[in-house]
């Protein structure tokens, strides 16, 4: 059996751990520059506040309903996520971290999985303060369905679909666009063929599905039938790492934008090293303000390394090369970012014929010393030339909460 642990309203839940006054109130978390709603409490959802709505449109409405709003605090959320994942890992020998607030684990059919799930849920709630929903099923796709059913429960938050017979009643009215792994384009193609529900999909002839859509969709059908086809991912790292922000004001200076993106590269490479992973390339992208009634411009450039790496200096150089190719001085830029691609495990074989094992060892030691100094003596004790001595934020986060778990100066105080 597979078990999926999914944190409830994770960003809001992290804030509520340290802010009991936010409980039982409508709470939303805002995107970079406090622009849009990116997370909502159940109370905010009950008020029909949509995801992605501009904050200014709902601020007065929230005030009227005793609501609250907070700027996103990714440093806090990442720290709380690590605590949750470490606790889940103490229960199971191997887990697959699917996202910042979700993880799969495998549990033997002979185990009392409901009792284990209940114990895990209570431990996460009591030791960390985060409520989780748990789905249990013989395949990962059914596990996602069980997890979504568990989330809708008012109490308990644990739901099991032990076999395909138990799942059948829920497949009957499940829209295919809500099936894990089926995107918008595939949904349209299936609708055109008269397939609208999960039950329709399960009943479709497998040879026809495979010939038109390939083995991936056939595996999804098998998973809906309770036949596991998607194995646990042994690599506990992201497939890509994205770091991007919208700026508080529009920028036109190449050097200014490069400095900001350098911070994204530094952050992304630190995350690579924390995951003991390497990346093979970096996509640098910039964009104008799409809400302005003026000519728009957005562009991106992929620069691949000779061999996978997590050396910040190499990615800073590649980012600078990519940015020079796409920067157009005629525009004012509102957003920029990077994506680290082709991520693999740190012990994957190197492919650069000109990089010796001695150089690899020196680079690894250098980055380890770099991280240790900044961790021991404080951030930006050492930094790279494209960065500034003092980090300058072009991001608006007027309502950000303290980083309670990662900064001594912001640790919670008992009154």
């Amino acid at each position: 059996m597979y078990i999926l642990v999914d944190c409830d309203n994770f960003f809001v839940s992290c804030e509520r751990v340290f802010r009991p006054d936010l409980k039982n109130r409508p709470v939303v978390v805002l995107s970079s520059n406090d622009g849009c709603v990116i997370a909502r409490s159940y109370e905010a959802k009950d008020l029909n506040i949509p995801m992605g709505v501009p904050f200014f449109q709902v601020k007065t409405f929230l005030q009227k309903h005793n609501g609250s709003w907070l700027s996103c605090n990714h440093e806090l959320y990442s720290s709380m996520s690590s605590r949750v994942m470490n606790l889940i890992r103490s229960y199971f020998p191997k887990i697959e971290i699917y996202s910042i607030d979700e993880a799969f684990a495998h549990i033997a059919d002979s185990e009392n999985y409901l009792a284990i799930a209940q114990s895990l849920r209570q431990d996460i709630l009591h030791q960390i303060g985060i409520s989780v929903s748990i789905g249990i099923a013989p395949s990962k796709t059914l596990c996602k369905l069980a997890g979504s059913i568990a989330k809708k429960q008012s109490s308990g938050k644990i739901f099991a679909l032990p076999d395909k017979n138990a799942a059948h009643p829920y497949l009957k009215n499940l829209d295919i666009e809500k099936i894990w792994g089926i995107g918008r384009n595939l949904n349209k193609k299936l609708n055109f063929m008269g397939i609208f529900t999960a039950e329709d999909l399960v009943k479709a002839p497998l040879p026809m599905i495979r010939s038109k859509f390939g083995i991936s969709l056939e595996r999804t059908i098998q998973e809906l039938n309770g036949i596991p086809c998607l194995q646990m991912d042994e690599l506990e790292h992201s497939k890509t790492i994205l770091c991007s922000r919208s700026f508080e004001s529009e920028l036109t200076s190449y050097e200014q934008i490069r400095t900001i993106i350098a911070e994204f590269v530094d952050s992304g490479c630190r995350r690579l090293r924390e995951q003991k992973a390497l990346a093979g390339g970096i996509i640098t992208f910039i964009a104008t303000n799409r809400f302005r009634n003026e000519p728009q411009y957005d562009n991106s450039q992929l620069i691949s390394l000779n061999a996978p790496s997590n050396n910040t200096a190499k990615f800073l150089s590649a980012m600078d090369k990519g940015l020079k190719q796409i920067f157009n001085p005629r525009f004012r830029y509102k957003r920029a970012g990077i994506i680290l691609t082709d991520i693999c495990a740190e012990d994957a074989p190197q492919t650069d014929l000109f990089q010796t094992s001695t150089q690899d060892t020196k680079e690894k030691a250098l980055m380890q010393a770099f991280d240790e100094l900044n961790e021991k003596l404080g951030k930006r004790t050492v930094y790279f030339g494209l960065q500034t001595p003092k980090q300058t934020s072009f991001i608006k986060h007027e309502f950000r909460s303290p980083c309670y778990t990662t900064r001594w100066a912001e640790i919670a105080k008992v009154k």
Side-chain angles (χ1 to χ4, degrees), residues 238-245 261 264-265 268-269 271-272 279-286 299-305 315 318-319 335-343:
S238 308
K239 306 301 186 228
T240 60
I241 290 179
L242 166 67
C243 298
S244 69
R245 294 289 186 275
I261 301 180
F264 302 156
V265 174
C269 289
R271 287 166 59 184
L272 267 181
I282 180 171
I283 298 173
T284 306
F285 60 89
I286 51 177
N299 205 347
S300 62
Q301 181 63 50
L302 167 65
I303 301 296
S304 297
L305 303 186
F315 283 102
M319 176 275 292
R335 185 175 180 84
I338 59 102
I339 303 174
L340 300 181
T341 65
D342 300 328
I343 294 178

Side-chain angles (χ1 to χ4, degrees), residues 223-395:
E223 288 257 322
L224 290 172
N225 280 317
I227 303 171
C229 297
L230 305 174
Q231 301 303 315
M232 290 281 291
D233 188 350
E234 295 183 4
L235 300 177
E236 293 182 6
H237 54 67
S238 308
K239 306 301 186 228
T240 60
I241 290 179
L242 166 67
C243 298
S244 69
R245 294 289 186 275
S246 295
F247 313 136
E248 186 173 2
S249 57
E250 293 164 345
L251 304 177
T252 57
S253 165
Y254 175 86
E255 288 74 19
Q256 202 172 40
I257 293 174
R258 184 181 63 176
T259 298
I260 296 172
I261 301 180
E263 299 299 332
F264 302 156
V265 174
D266 181 36
S267 176
C269 289
R270 277 191 285 109
R271 287 166 59 184
L272 267 181
R273 295 191 290 273
E274 288 170 1
Q275 297 175 13
K276 299 188 182 303
L278 309 171
I282 180 171
I283 298 173
T284 306
F285 60 89
I286 51 177
T288 52
N289 189 346
R290 61 189 177 91
F291 296 107
R292 282 193 178 274
N293 185 22
E294 59 186 30
Q296 298 292 310
Y297 176 80
D298 65 88
N299 205 347
S300 62
Q301 181 63 50
L302 167 65
I303 301 296
S304 297
L305 303 186
N306 292 328
S309 175
N310 56 24
N311 186 332
T312 304
K314 289 186 175 181
F315 283 102
L316 284 171
S317 177
M319 176 275 292
D320 191 25
K321 181 178 178 181
L323 184 60
K324 285 177 181 175
Q325 295 180 29
I326 60 176
F327 181 79
N328 189 324
R330 296 188 295 110
F331 293 96
R332 298 181 296 169
Y333 296 97
K334 182 64 175 177
R335 185 175 180 84
I338 59 102
I339 303 174
L340 300 181
T341 65
D342 300 328
I343 294 178
C344 61
E346 196 173 43
D347 55 2
Q350 300 293 298
T351 57
D352 187 355
L353 297 177
F354 302 100
Q355 179 89 346
T356 66
S357 59
T358 302
Q359 288 175 302
D360 288 339
T361 302
K362 286 183 177 180
E363 284 189 8
K364 187 173 182 179
L366 173 64
M367 297 317 303
Q368 183 177 347
F370 180 85
D371 292 335
E372 288 176 353
L373 281 171
N374 283 327
E375 183 176 351
K376 183 177 181 179
L377 302 178
K379 289 185 176 181
R380 307 188 77 75
T381 299
V382 289
Y383 54 91
F384 289 86
L386 288 184
Q387 299 172 272
T388 56
K390 184 176 181 181
Q391 185 172 355
T392 302
S393 175
F394 293 88
I395 311 303

